[in-house]
């Protein structure tokens, strides 16, 4: 039993349960958010056409705000306890266990003992501060996510300075200098991409950036100041300790003890005179940084693992082993020091590449987006791994370069960048003596000049300052370097989107280096999903297999299969560009003030109150004919606000934006008078907002409505600078113009369509073959601003204006247009889908069109008459019934 409980504790992924709870209760949860938090989320919603964040980043931001606004930054183990018991904020998730075998949910049948084991496991790793882990695999944008979270914290902290759950200052830890330089993106990043525009100028004005990138750099922050963003690594902050014994002479001359006599007056106050000065300048600057951090309030700590802290190192950093690294020790010391100083660490947010350590789930993971899922959904390149048995240096290099040249057009640019291949050597001598000559010889066979080679090894004899500059500008259109020779550069947070291949044939000293180096070439580039090529010896392939299992719980086959059913396709815009005429209805509402009459009525006596009453009934038994008592009105038990004449006047004034004295005169002039209004409003508070204020508004203002209709033409697709869009899609869902034969003239404003589902593709073929259809265009393919054919609607949850792109535009032989949307059966009745339908019907009606929404099952079954002649289908169904 103990072994089984232990397995449960290390395998239980609480972050999945947390996410499921959030999705199932999203509407209720958002009601508890501050309006500013909802606004920030809506601005970054990945479903928006213009949103910058991708799905994993936005989901992580959702979880970040969920933990803060709804769960009040509680530690993970406390959240798990509430969740498992179905209490507190998780009330309604399921009943608490009352017996060892009672089920908590449809897929949840752990026993009480097993849940207690998970709780004890989580509790044993708890810190003195909330500690959360966001596990997003390399290349999904953790740095931008971190910046988005910090900007959110500062905006909310400025609005609500007394709320202890918001960070007034942020400290970002990087594991090494290379990543420290990469984190400068937080400062240079265009904030308007993730921050609502009205807050961008405030952030630019108030954030103070501090980079501790040199050993002697001091931290220049004002005590108790706010909105400092400090980017450093642990070595730049942690208090130094002496690890060697002092010599007899050092003990004599540098003991740090006072030399006055024992028993003297000075001896009684020796603590005032005892030397606490650092012994060297390096220790002085480190202590200075630490002391400065202690004087900052409400500090949020953000740890960027930079995709390289896997295995035992990550376990130590996350506090899962008895031996702490400098990272965890630094954070613990900071938290204790801030507590003594009267403030606190708000939370520690760790951003790492995997939720697993040595095949064990990290207990404080709150969100995870894995390697296989990232490849499957196109957020990373696909991967092809090449293995070679007993390769010799020259052979390996020649074969790898030949294959890379065969699979990649070296002159083709992706987002203006040339494709690159990186070779990793074990030592500098190996690179200079073996690898570089072999690469030069292999390139010469393909007519590629040696000037395309770049060497970066950290040795000034081989790597000049110019080489360093070239290395830093590899991801720029001006870089002509395509073959990069490195030593140990795979583990230092090197980010290069134009890297399309890596080669590693010698076994490195560190096994985890194989995984780190192999993942370097997977960062996505462009809209299409390309393929990264990894060239390894058989020995390194086995190491990679083991490390993938340990850190991601996937195999090489799993990774290689991900995304293999998708292909990269260049979709060209056909000219002349198809245009369509739409009608836009503009409504203008003009507010005019009017003079209220004397002794006007608020019509309180006419206002219905039944919907406000709280009624109590009693039913004897469960049978249908059970006797039910007469309803008893117990409205007096409702929690109500009791208004006085003063507070009532103030509340009305707040809504109508009028002076209190003017509102008081108006209320006194009513037929009802102040006393009657107070009696009715105190009986039912709702009457104030449903009756009193609206009727007062009507007495004070008059609204004139003006409507204007205008026609305008829109392009079904915008022509990109390159003349084509590069996309990736499932091979079986791509229909090219050449595939349709003579029917091609009835469609294709692009030379190929990439459908999202089989029902969409089936409906397209059915409409294309029907004689009543003159033209059919698939318009649901380019939905991120590449087309002007969209419908604006108001999101029912966020009340934000969004853009919606219908799937098809059909022109019938009678010259009438139909907008068509194919939706999954389970989505048809969702509030957002209903809102899209409502606004699309309005737009279609104003433009003389019709709008049809077809269920996925109907489209797949060939019931396209629902589009062309829905009335006939309804008549047929009525006859059959």
């Amino acid at each position: 039993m103990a072994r089984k409980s232990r397995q449960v504790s290390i395998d239980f992924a609480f972050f999945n349960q947390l996410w499921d709870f959030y999705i199932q209760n999203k509407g209720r949860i958002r009601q508890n958010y501050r309006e500013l938090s909802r606004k920030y989320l809506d601005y970054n919603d990945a479903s928006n056409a213009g949103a910058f964040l991708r799905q994993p980043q936005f989901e992580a931001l959702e979880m970040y705000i969920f933990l803060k606004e709804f769960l009040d930054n509680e530690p993970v183990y406390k959240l798990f306890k509430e969740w498992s018991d179905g209490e507190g904020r998780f009330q309604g998730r399921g009943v608490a266990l009352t017996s060892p075998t009672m089920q908590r949910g449809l897929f949840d049948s752990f026993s009480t003992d097993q849940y207690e084991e998970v709780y004890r496991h989580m509790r044993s790793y708890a810190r003195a501060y909330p500690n959360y882990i966001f596990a997003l695999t390399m290349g999904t944008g953790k740095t931008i996510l971190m910046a988005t979270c910090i900007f959110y914290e500062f905006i909310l902290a400025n609005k609500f300075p007394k709320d202890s759950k918001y960070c007034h200052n942020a400290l970002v830890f990087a594991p090494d200098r290379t990543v420290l330089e990469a984190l400068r993106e937080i400062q240079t990043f265009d904030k308007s991409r993730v921050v609502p525009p009205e807050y961008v100028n405030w952030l630019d004005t108030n954030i103070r950036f501090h980079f501790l990138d040199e050993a002697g750099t001091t931290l220049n922050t004002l005590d108790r100041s706010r909105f400092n963003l400090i980017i450093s690594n642990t070595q730049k902050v942690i208090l130094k300790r002496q690890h060697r014994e002092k010599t007899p002479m050092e003990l004599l001359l540098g003991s740090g003890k006072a030399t006055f006599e024992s028993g003297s007056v000075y001896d009684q106050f020796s603590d005032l005179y005892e030397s606490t000065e650092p012994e060297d300048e390096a220790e002085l600057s480190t202590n200075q940084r630490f002391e400065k951090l202690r004087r900052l309030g409400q500090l949020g700590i953000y740890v960027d693992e930079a995709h390289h802290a896997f295995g035992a190192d990550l376990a130590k950093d996350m506090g899962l082993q008895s031996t702490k690294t400098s990272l965890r020790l630094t954070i613990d010391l900071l938290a204790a020091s801030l507590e003594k100083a009267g403030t606190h660490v708000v939370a520690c947010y760790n951003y790492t590449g995997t939720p697993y350590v040595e095949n064990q789930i990290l207990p404080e993971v709150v969100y995870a987006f894995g390697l296989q899922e990232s490849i499957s959904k196109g957020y990373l390149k696909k991967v092809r791994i090449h293995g070679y048995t007993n390769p010799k240096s020259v052979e390996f290099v020649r074969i790898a370069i030949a294959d890379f040249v065969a699979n990649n057009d070296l002159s083709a640019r992706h987002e203006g960048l040339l494709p690159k291949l990186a070779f990793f050597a074990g030592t500098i001598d190996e690179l200079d003596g073996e690898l570089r000559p072999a690469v030069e010889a292999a390139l010469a066979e393909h007519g590629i000049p040696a000037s395309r080679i770049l060497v970066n090894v950290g040795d000034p004899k081989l790597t000049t300052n110019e080489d360093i500059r070239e290395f830093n500008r590899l991801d720029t259109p001006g870089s002509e370097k395509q073959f990069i020779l490195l030593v140990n550069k795979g583990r230092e947070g090197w980010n290069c989107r134009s890297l399309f291949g890596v080669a590693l044939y010698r076994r490195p000293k560190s096994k985890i280096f194989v995984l780190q180096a192999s993942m370097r070439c997977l960062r996505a580039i462009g809209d299409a999903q390309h393929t990264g090529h990894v060239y390894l010896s058989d020995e390194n392939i086995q190491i990679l297999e083991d490390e993938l299992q340990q850190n991601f719980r996937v195999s090489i086959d799993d990774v290689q299969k991900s995304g293999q059913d998708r292909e990269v396709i260049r979709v060209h815009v056909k000219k002349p560009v198809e245009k369509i005429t739409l009608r836009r209805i503009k409504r203008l509402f003009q507010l005019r003030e009017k003079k209220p009459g004397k002794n006007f009525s608020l019509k309180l006596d006419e206002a219905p109150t039944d919907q406000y009453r709280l009624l109590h009934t009693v039913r004897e038994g469960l049978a249908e004919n059970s006797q039910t008592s007469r309803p008893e009105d117990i409205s007096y038990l409702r929690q109500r606000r009791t208004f006085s004449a003063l507070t009532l006047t103030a509340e009305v004034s707040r809504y109508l934006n009028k002076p209190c004295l003017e509102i008081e005169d108006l209320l006194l002039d009513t037929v009802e008078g102040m006393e009657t209004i107070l009696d009715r409003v105190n009986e039912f508070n709702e009457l104030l907002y449903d009756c009193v204020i609206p009727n007062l508004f009507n007495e004070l203002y008059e609204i004139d409505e003006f409507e204007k209709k205008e026609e305008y033409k829109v392009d079904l697709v915008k022509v990109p600078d390159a003349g084509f869009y590069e996309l990736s899609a499932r091979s079986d869902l791509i229909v090219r113009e050449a595939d349709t034969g003579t029917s091609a003239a009835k469609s294709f404003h692009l030379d190929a369509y990439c459908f999202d589902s089989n029902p969409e593709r089936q409906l397209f073929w059915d409409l294309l073959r029907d004689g009543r259809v003159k033209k059919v265009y698939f318009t649901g393919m380019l939905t991120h601003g590449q087309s002007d054919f969209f419908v604006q609607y108001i999101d029912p949850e966020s009340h934000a204006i969004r853009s919606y792109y219908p799937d098809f535009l059909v022109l019938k032989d009678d010259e009438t247009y139909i907008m068509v949307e194919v939706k999954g059966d389970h989505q048809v009745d969702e509030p957002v889908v209903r809102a899209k339908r409502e606004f699309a019907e309005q737009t279609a009606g104003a433009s003389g069109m019709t709008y049809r929404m077809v269920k996925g099952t109907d489209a797949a079954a060939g019931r396209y008459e629902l589009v062309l002649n829905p009335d006939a289908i309804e008549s047929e169904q009525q006859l059959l019934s």
Side-chain angles (χ1 to χ4, degrees):
M1 179 64 187
R3 184 174 181 179
K4 183 177 180 181
S5 295
R6 172 64 179 164
Q7 189 63 34
V8 169
S9 69
I10 66 173
D11 285 343
F12 185 76
F14 178 52
F15 59 89
N16 287 331
Q17 309 298 328
L18 207 57
W19 180 253
D20 288 343
F21 176 82
Y22 172 75
I23 293 298
Q24 293 167 10
N25 301 275
K26 193 172 182 178
R28 176 173 67 89
I29 290 170
R30 281 177 59 100
Q31 291 175 2
N32 291 272
Y33 288 0
R34 284 187 156 91
E35 183 180 351
L36 190 49
S37 296
R38 291 196 295 268
K39 184 175 185 178
Y40 201 85
L41 279 174
D42 294 337
Y43 186 81
N44 287 288
D45 193 333
S47 63
N48 294 343
F52 179 75
L53 296 185
R54 296 187 291 182
Q55 178 194 345
Q57 294 169 305
F58 177 66
E59 288 181 354
L61 178 64
E62 284 187 289
M63 180 56 62
Y64 185 98
I65 294 178
F66 171 52
L67 290 167
K68 185 169 295 289
E69 294 282 78
F70 189 75
L71 300 177
D72 292 325
N73 282 345
E74 289 284 359
V76 174
Y77 74 91
K78 288 187 178 179
L79 298 179
F80 173 77
K81 184 64 174 174
E82 280 191 13
W83 174 87
S84 62
D85 293 337
E87 296 176 349
R89 285 154 291 199
F90 293 98
Q91 190 170 7
R93 181 197 75 83
V95 296
L97 288 183
T98 56
S99 70
T101 57
M102 182 180 291
Q103 291 193 348
R104 296 169 182 254
L106 185 59
F107 305 105
D108 184 355
S109 57
F110 287 163
S111 69
T112 304
D113 291 342
Q114 289 172 326
Y115 271 101
E116 285 300 322
E117 174 63 26
V118 176
Y119 174 73
R120 284 193 295 270
H121 178 67
M122 289 182 169
R123 183 71 181 88
S124 63
Y125 297 120
R127 326 299 303 178
Y129 45 85
N131 191 57
Y132 306 119
I133 301 173
F134 292 85
L136 288 84
T137 197
M138 177 278 303
T140 48
K142 290 195 287 292
T143 301
I144 295 301
L145 170 63
M146 186 187 304
T148 305
C149 294
I150 293 173
F151 298 153
Y152 164 78
E153 292 280 1
F154 285 177
I155 292 171
L156 270 291
N158 180 61
K159 184 74 172 178
F160 307 100
K162 295 183 180 180
D163 197 322
S164 61
K165 66 173 174 275
Y166 300 119
C167 302
H168 291 185
N169 297 279
L171 171 62
V172 180
F173 276 136
D176 49 50
R177 183 165 180 173
T178 305
V179 180
L180 195 65
E181 290 299 317
L183 286 175
R184 287 186 181 273
E185 185 180 10
I186 294 178
Q187 183 176 14
T188 59
F189 174 63
D190 182 3
K191 300 179 185 65
S192 64
R193 291 181 171 183
V194 297
V195 175
E198 57 266 36
Y199 300 106
V200 172
N201 288 338
W202 180 87
L203 284 173
D204 288 335
T205 303
N206 289 276
I207 292 185
R208 301 173 182 87
F209 287 91
H210 306 270
F211 284 90
L212 305 183
D213 51 359
E214 298 293 341
T217 306
T218 58
L219 178 56
N220 300 313
T221 56
L222 298 176
D223 294 354
R224 299 302 173 188
S225 59
R226 297 194 296 164
F227 313 128
N228 295 287
L229 203 167
I230 304 142
I231 301 178
S232 178
N233 61 22
T234 54
Q235 287 76 18
K236 300 293 187 294
V237 172
I238 190 171
L239 294 170
K240 289 179 179 283
R241 283 171 169 75
Q242 189 164 341
H243 296 290
R244 67 175 180 86
E245 291 186 6
K246 293 187 177 183
T247 64
M249 185 60 68
E250 288 172 332
L251 289 172
L252 176 63
L253 300 179
S255 65
K257 296 291 183 181
T259 56
F260 36 75
E261 294 181 2
S262 176
S264 68
V265 66
Y266 296 104
D267 186 34
Q268 299 175 29
F269 302 98
S270 60
D271 58 325
L272 299 179
Y273 299 98
E274 187 173 346
S275 174
T276 57
E277 291 296 315
E279 296 186 6
D280 54 48
E281 186 177 346
E283 186 175 348
L284 173 64
S285 57
T286 353
N287 280 317
Q288 184 270 346
R289 299 184 189 107
F290 193 89
E291 288 299 319
K292 278 291 187 180
L293 288 172
R294 290 181 58 194
R295 299 169 189 172
L296 296 178
Q298 294 185 212
L299 183 66
I301 299 177
Y302 298 80
V303 182
D304 187 358
E305 296 301 325
H307 336 306
H308 85 293
F310 297 101
D313 288 340
L314 181 56
K316 292 176 182 178
D317 281 352
M318 295 298 104
L320 298 186
Q321 292 186 5
S322 57
T323 304
K324 293 182 182 178
T325 60
S326 59
L327 166 66
R328 191 53 52 187
L329 187 60
T330 299
I331 297 172
D332 290 349
L333 286 171
L334 261 178
S337 297
L338 288 170
E339 198 71 32
K340 290 180 181 178
T343 179
H344 64 287
V345 169
V346 174
C348 178
Y349 301 96
N350 306 274
Y351 297 81
T352 186
T354 172
Y356 305 105
V357 170
E358 298 176 352
N359 211 25
Q360 174 181 340
I361 294 177
L362 292 162
E364 291 176 316
V365 173
V366 292
Y367 179 79
F369 200 87
L371 175 63
Q372 188 175 3
E373 188 178 11
S374 298
I375 296 175
S376 298
K377 294 195 174 182
Y379 298 122
L380 297 178
K381 296 186 184 83
K382 294 180 287 187
V383 61
R384 186 175 300 161
I385 299 173
H386 308 261
Y388 301 95
T389 305
N390 302 319
K392 295 181 179 179
S393 302
V394 176
E395 294 172 345
F396 178 86
V397 171
R398 188 177 69 249
I399 294 170
I401 289 178
D403 184 83
F404 185 77
V405 171
N407 285 287
N408 293 276
D409 182 354
L410 297 188
S411 62
R413 292 182 177 267
H414 308 272
E415 294 189 6
L417 311 178
L418 292 171
K420 300 169 181 62
L421 172 65
F423 284 90
F424 293 96
T427 64
I428 294 176
D429 291 339
E430 179 188 308
L431 184 146
D432 191 40
E434 298 181 33
L435 180 59
R436 184 169 186 166
V439 171
E440 290 175 347
L443 292 182
E445 293 180 11
H446 297 277
I448 301 172
S451 60
R452 295 297 176 101
I453 299 174
L454 177 65
V455 177
N456 184 4
V457 296
D459 186 340
K461 294 180 181 178
L462 297 177
T463 304
T464 65
N465 289 335
E466 181 61 30
D467 291 333
I468 297 295
R469 282 192 289 271
E470 281 289 343
F471 184 78
N472 291 332
R473 62 190 291 268
L474 281 174
D475 258 353
T476 63
S479 176
E480 298 293 325
K481 305 294 184 181
Q482 291 185 272
F483 297 88
I484 321 301
L485 311 187
L486 305 167
V487 175
N488 200 31
K489 207 68 182 178
R491 57 168 295 140
E492 296 181 356
W494 176 40
N495 302 327
C496 184
R497 294 183 304 121
S498 57
L499 190 65
F500 276 69
V502 296
L504 182 68
Y505 65 99
R506 294 284 178 85
R507 174 172 177 159
K509 295 179 181 178
S510 169
K511 290 184 178 181
I512 198 65
F513 181 80
V514 177
L515 174 61
Q516 296 158 353
S518 300
M519 293 174 64
R520 291 299 101 200
C521 66
L522 298 187
R523 288 184 175 274
I525 184 170
D527 294 327
Q529 187 179 23
H530 300 280
T531 301
H533 294 264
V534 180
Y535 304 94
L536 301 172
S537 66
D538 274 356
E539 183 182 23
N540 283 333
I541 281 192
Q542 186 56 52
I543 293 174
L544 179 61
E545 178 76 44
D546 295 340
E547 294 301 323
L548 283 171
Q549 288 288 352
Q550 290 286 324
N551 292 284
F552 294 104
R553 289 190 177 178
V554 296
S555 65
I556 288 179
D557 286 342
D558 293 333
V559 172
Q560 289 198 111
K561 288 176 182 176
S562 298
Q564 291 305 317
D565 60 341
R566 303 176 71 86
E567 67 173 89
V568 177
I569 179 173
R570 288 185 173 181
V571 179
H572 296 80
V573 177
K574 294 182 65 177
K575 296 182 180 179
V577 176
E578 293 289 343
K579 297 180 181 290
I580 184 172
T581 301
L582 298 176
R583 292 188 185 93
R584 178 187 290 123
I585 299 177
K586 288 187 175 181
R587 290 188 175 91
L588 174 66
F589 297 92
Q590 189 176 55
L591 192 67
R592 291 189 299 107
E593 287 195 49
K594 65 179 184 179
K595 188 175 181 179
K598 291 288 185 180
N599 295 324
F600 62 90
S601 174
L602 295 176
K603 303 175 183 177
L604 282 172
D605 55 339
E606 302 174 14
T609 58
D610 290 344
Q611 66 268 34
Y612 309 138
R613 297 184 183 277
L614 179 61
L615 301 178
H616 171 231
T617 58
V618 177
R619 179 188 289 269
E620 300 291 346
L622 298 176
E624 291 183 6
N625 57 354
S626 298
Q627 186 175 0
T628 304
S629 66
R630 292 186 60 183
E632 176 190 2
D633 190 345
I634 55 172
S635 302
Y636 63 89
L637 294 177
R638 278 193 183 279
Q639 186 176 359
R640 294 177 296 185
R641 177 182 177 184
T642 302
F643 287 92
S644 66
L646 187 63
T647 56
L648 178 68
T649 301
E651 185 71 1
V652 176
S653 174
R654 187 169 69 91
Y655 271 84
L656 296 181
N657 198 25
K658 288 281 188 180
C660 288
L661 292 177
E662 183 177 338
I663 294 297
E664 183 182 31
D665 291 340
L666 286 171
L667 293 175
L668 291 172
D669 281 345
T670 60
V671 172
E672 292 82 0
M674 184 68 79
E675 292 299 324
T676 303
I677 296 173
L678 282 172
D679 289 342
R680 296 302 306 278
V681 167
N682 286 330
E683 183 182 7
F684 298 106
N685 288 170
E686 294 85 353
L687 285 175
L688 174 61
Y689 308 101
D690 295 347
C691 183
V692 174
I693 293 176
N695 285 326
L696 268 178
F697 179 88
N698 292 333
E699 284 294 326
L700 293 170
Y701 300 102
E702 196 168 54
I703 299 177
D704 294 327
E705 180 180 348
F706 302 92
E707 185 177 290
K708 180 182 178 182
K709 295 182 179 179
E710 59 182 21
E711 290 188 353
Y712 64 104
K713 289 188 176 183
V714 299
D715 294 336
L716 285 188
V717 62
K718 298 177 182 178
V719 181
D721 295 335
F724 61 85
Y725 292 102
E726 195 171 43
L727 307 170
S728 59
R730 273 175 46 187
S731 304
D732 59 328
L733 294 181
I734 298 175
V735 176
R736 294 175 172 83
E737 187 176 10
D739 299 336
T740 58
T742 57
S743 300
K746 295 176 63 174
S747 186
F748 294 103
H749 60 304
L750 303 162
D751 65 354
Y753 288 152
C754 303
F755 296 97
D756 297 323
S757 64
N758 289 316
E760 287 181 353
R761 185 192 58 179
Q762 182 62 46
L763 181 61
F764 171 74
W765 280 112
D766 290 337
L767 293 174
L768 191 66
R769 294 169 180 143
D770 193 281
R772 293 166 293 176
V773 174
K774 189 174 181 180
K775 292 281 186 180
V776 54
Y777 301 109
F778 180 54
T779 53
M781 174 176 156
L782 302 173
T783 60
H784 293 280
Q786 302 102 321
S787 169
D788 289 328
F789 181 63
F790 59 84
V791 175
Q792 288 190 321
Y793 71 99
I794 298 176
D795 189 295
E797 289 187 358
S798 65
H799 306 293
I801 297 177
R802 304 196 186 283
S803 297
Y804 153 56
Y805 296 79
D807 287 331
F808 293 95
L809 180 65
V810 179
L811 176 63
K812 293 176 64 177
D813 54 2
D814 60 0
E815 300 300 323
T816 59
Y817 280 100
I818 306 173
M819 294 183 193
V820 184
E821 176 70 19
V822 179
K823 262 307 180 229
D825 294 25
H826 64 289
Q827 296 176 307
V828 170
D829 293 323
E830 290 180 356
V832 172
V833 175
R834 290 203 302 267
K836 290 179 180 179
R837 180 173 187 166
E838 178 185 347
F839 281 87
E841 286 175 345
Q842 292 178 11
T843 301
S847 302
M849 303 178 179
T850 53
Y851 176 83
R852 305 281 187 234
M853 181 172 288
V854 181
K855 292 181 179 180
T857 52
D858 289 331
R863 306 185 72 223
Y864 62 95
E865 282 294 332
L866 288 169
V867 174
L868 301 176
N869 194 8
D871 295 334
I873 294 289
E874 290 177 7
S875 300
E876 180 184 346
Q877 289 175 341
Q878 289 174 1
L879 287 173
L880 290 173
S881 61

